Each structure stands twice: as C-alpha cells, then as structure tokens.
Amino acid sequence: MAEMSDSNLDKTTIIQQAIASCCGAIITSLFVTPLDVIKTRLQAQSNPFPKGKCFVYSNGLMDHICVCENGDSKAWYKKTGHFKGTLDAFVKIIQIEGIKSLWSGLPPTLIMALPTTVIYFTCYDQLSEALKSRLGKDDEHIPVLAGSLSRFGSVTVVSPLELIRTRMQYRKLSYKQLYTCVSSKVAIDGWFSLWRGWTSTVLRDVPFSAMYWYNYERFKKMMCKEAGAHEPTFFIAFTSGAASGSIAAVITLPFDVVKTHRQTELWESETLKIPQRDCTSTWAVMKKIVAKNGITGLFAGIIPRLFKVAPACAIMISTYECGKSFFSHLNEKMDQHT
C-alpha cells in the first residue's frame, strides 16, 4: 500500500497535484452546497434571522459567516417557504425558485476555498514526501506532522484574505475603498490585526487535520490490505475519508463552536454596532458557553456538522486520489512513448 502512494506521488508533478485538488474542491462544493443551503433555509423557517444577525454557511471546504440584510438578501435566507423537511425543501426549492437556488452563494465562497484547498493538499503531499525520505516510508508520525503543518500554513496564508473578503461582503466596498479600509486598520492596530480570528481557526483546523490524515492513512492501508489492492479504489478512499473526517469532526467540535461564536460576535459588533464583550480568549469563550449551556453547549450542532463534514471529506479525498491516479497513469504512458 505504501508503495502505491509513493509511486503515485513520484509520477505526479506539483502542478498535477494542484489540479487534482482544485477539481476535488469544485466537485465537493457542487455536492455539499445544496445540503447547507437547505439546512439554512429550514433553520430560517423555524427561527427567522433578524437584520444584522449572522449565520454560518459552508460549501463543504470552509465555513463562511453571512449577515442577514433586508429585502435584497441572498436566496438562502430570503425566502423562508413552508418546508416539511429536507426532501420537501429540496423539491420545493427546485420547483418554485429553480435549481440554481441550491447553489446560492457558491461563486464568492469558492474564490476563498479553492486557494486554501490547493495550498493544503499539495503541501500535505510535498511534506509527506520530504518526511518519508527523513523518517522512513512507514513512520506513523508522517501524516500527523504533514497534516498539521500544511493546515497551519494554509490557514496563515489565507487568514488576511478571509478578513478582507468578509469586509467586502457586507460593506460592498470598491477595491480603492477596501485598500483605504485595510491600510487604516493596519495603521491603527498593526499588521497582526489582519490575522484576527487566526487562533481559533488554528485551534480547530490543525488538530482536525492531524487526526484526519492519521486515520485516513491507517484506514486506507487497512482496506487496501483487506481488498488486496495496490492502490486505493474510489470506494476505499471515499470510505476512509468519511470515517476519518467524522472522527476528527466530533473531537474538534468544541473548537468549532468557539470559532463560530467568536466570528458571529465580531460580525454583530460591526454590523449592529453592538459593543464587543471582553471575552476574547478561546478559553474564556469556552467557559462562557459552559456557564450558559453546560458542557453539552460545546458539542452543539454535532449532527449537522457530521452530515456536512463526512460527505465533504469523502468526496474531496476520493476525487483527489482519483485525479492523482489519472495523472500518474497519464505520465506513465507518456514516459513509455518517449
């Protein structure tokens, strides 16, 4: 099994890995976005969002905080409808509003998600290769180290862009206004202010990544051995991705709850001009949530998170592995012809 991954990587270039991860990201978003659009619409039906309030929207690759506006609001929370459940919502949205409504908000969220995913997956593969030559091919620490470092890197690179994107999203700024806004923020609060919210993202994403890749590589190796396969089939990659994503999602859920809490609080303080609480550290937010809702408050939304994370991880990794396998065989054929 290890030979398969190594040979696949030896035969794929960094550009091919980037293309494979880009295709995986687009396919994942196309499948997962409708699930989240329906979830948000059902949520808005039972508990309508007031103006200026926030909700979290996901395309399967990353979360985005959205602010509710008046009449001209985005489709996923504007029309509440009368839905009896998930399937009913799915059918009615297509019938009444057209199939495009299921992908509300996808283009702007993809702009952020694609570079993050490409950096993350290509870095993981490149780091794995570098670590294998140092630690040996079968060292169990490799997925943990490569997963943590690649996630840390992608979060750090994209964090200022995320801040800029959110400002553009709710203020409809031109690029000149955006430049003025960002430069004045840097002048007042310093360069580090562009990485606001970075800590809570790292605390959630780095442990998630370490657990995800460790379990994924283990499940993949185990299933390949059982099936007598030299390389993971689509089914093996899909199943391993879903299982490892679910485990990581459950364990890191408290950090996800904290991140969402801090993001929505920040948004509401800026849009509704609500003065921000002093509660800034992750630990302080955790204590506040436990005091208000008990320990179960830290595991709020576990079912929706699993419904979102499991298919997203499964689709992303299986399409990525298939992409790499395709390029590997293509390169092999080209080598034979030369």
Side-chain angles (χ1 to χ4, degrees):
M1 171 48 227
E3 286 75 24
M4 166 267 144
S5 301
D6 302 336
S7 60
N8 244 9
L9 257 181
D10 289 341
K11 291 169 191 164
T12 54
T13 65
I14 192 165
I15 300 294
Q16 288 172 335
Q17 288 163 23
I19 294 167
S21 57
C22 198
C23 292
I26 292 166
I27 292 165
T28 304
S29 296
L30 289 174
F31 274 99
V32 179
T33 301
L35 297 175
D36 218 52
V37 167
I38 289 167
K39 184 207 80 178
T40 310
R41 297 283 289 273
L42 287 168
Q43 197 183 332
Q45 181 177 283
S46 59
N47 185 17
F49 302 115
K51 187 183 187 305
K53 275 283 176 185
C54 309
F55 67 92
V56 180
Y57 160 78
S58 172
N59 58 10
L61 301 167
M62 59 195 300
D63 295 335
H64 304 270
I65 297 286
C66 297
V67 173
C68 303
E69 299 155 19
N70 275 344
D72 61 344
S73 296
K74 300 275 190 296
W76 62 78
Y77 55 80
K78 182 185 173 187
K79 306 178 187 78
T80 50
H82 295 286
F83 311 126
K84 290 170 193 156
T86 305
L87 191 65
D88 185 52
F90 185 79
V91 172
K92 279 183 183 168
I93 289 169
I94 294 172
Q95 282 177 344
I96 300 161
E97 301 163 37
I99 199 158
K100 275 168 72 178
S101 276
L102 290 173
W103 286 274
S104 301
L106 181 59
T109 62
L110 264 186
I111 291 163
M112 282 296 301
L114 285 178
T116 312
T117 310
V118 169
I119 294 166
Y120 176 41
F121 276 81
T122 47
C123 279
Y124 174 78
D125 273 341
Q126 295 298 315
L127 282 166
S128 293
E129 273 303 280
L131 289 165
K132 275 172 192 169
S133 60
R134 296 252 176 144
L135 304 172
K137 286 179 182 178
D138 298 317
D139 195 299
E140 287 198 338
H141 297 101
I142 291 170
V144 176
L145 286 168
S148 302
L149 290 169
S150 56
R151 197 65 187 171
F152 185 88
S154 64
V155 166
T156 305
V157 168
V158 175
S159 208
L161 297 175
E162 173 73 4
L163 186 90
I164 289 164
R165 184 191 66 80
T166 52
R167 287 188 180 276
M168 282 190 86
Q169 194 182 334
Y170 79 81
R171 284 197 194 155
K172 309 279 189 292
L173 301 172
S174 68
Y175 287 106
K176 194 179 177 183
Q177 288 170 317
L178 181 71
Y179 175 76
T180 312
C181 172
V182 171
S183 53
S184 64
K185 186 171 173 59
V186 169
I188 298 162
D189 302 325
W191 282 101
F192 286 112
S193 63
L194 294 179
W195 278 268
R196 189 173 183 179
W198 175 86
T199 314
S200 54
T201 308
V202 163
L203 278 171
R204 180 192 67 172
D205 289 2
V206 171
F208 179 96
S209 210
M211 280 180 272
Y212 171 76
W213 286 109
Y214 175 75
N215 286 315
Y216 174 72
E217 297 292 356
R218 280 188 68 195
F219 291 147
K220 185 172 77 170
K221 204 175 276 191
M222 210 164 60
M223 288 180 79
C224 280
K225 204 174 177 182
E226 285 287 316
H230 291 294
E231 59 178 83
T233 59
F234 180 85
F235 176 76
I236 288 172
F238 190 93
T239 311
S240 303
S244 48
S246 300
I247 292 165
V250 171
I251 295 169
T252 59
L253 188 66
F255 293 111
D256 186 57
V257 171
V258 169
K259 180 178 160 53
T260 305
H261 183 89
R262 291 181 72 180
Q263 276 185 311
T264 51
E265 210 168 66
L266 171 66
W267 270 83
E268 284 163 13
S269 75
E270 300 214 10
T271 52
L272 294 177
K273 301 286 177 265
I274 298 169
Q276 210 167 351
R277 333 282 199 282
D278 299 329
C279 184
T280 49
S281 79
T282 300
W283 182 241
V285 176
M286 276 189 168
K287 283 203 291 189
K288 185 181 167 185
I289 292 166
V290 171
K292 192 179 174 185
N293 305 311
I295 203 84
T296 52
L298 292 174
F299 290 89
I302 192 162
I303 303 299
R305 181 151 159 82
L306 280 176
F307 272 122
K308 186 166 63 185
V309 172
C313 286
I315 297 163
M316 181 65 218
I317 197 67
S318 50
T319 48
Y320 180 59
E321 291 277 21
C322 284
K324 282 199 299 179
S325 187
F326 167 78
F327 282 121
S328 170
H329 292 133
L330 185 75
N331 294 346
E332 238 172 54
K333 280 180 189 172
M334 286 174 79
D335 288 344
Q336 285 166 6
H337 287 301
T338 53

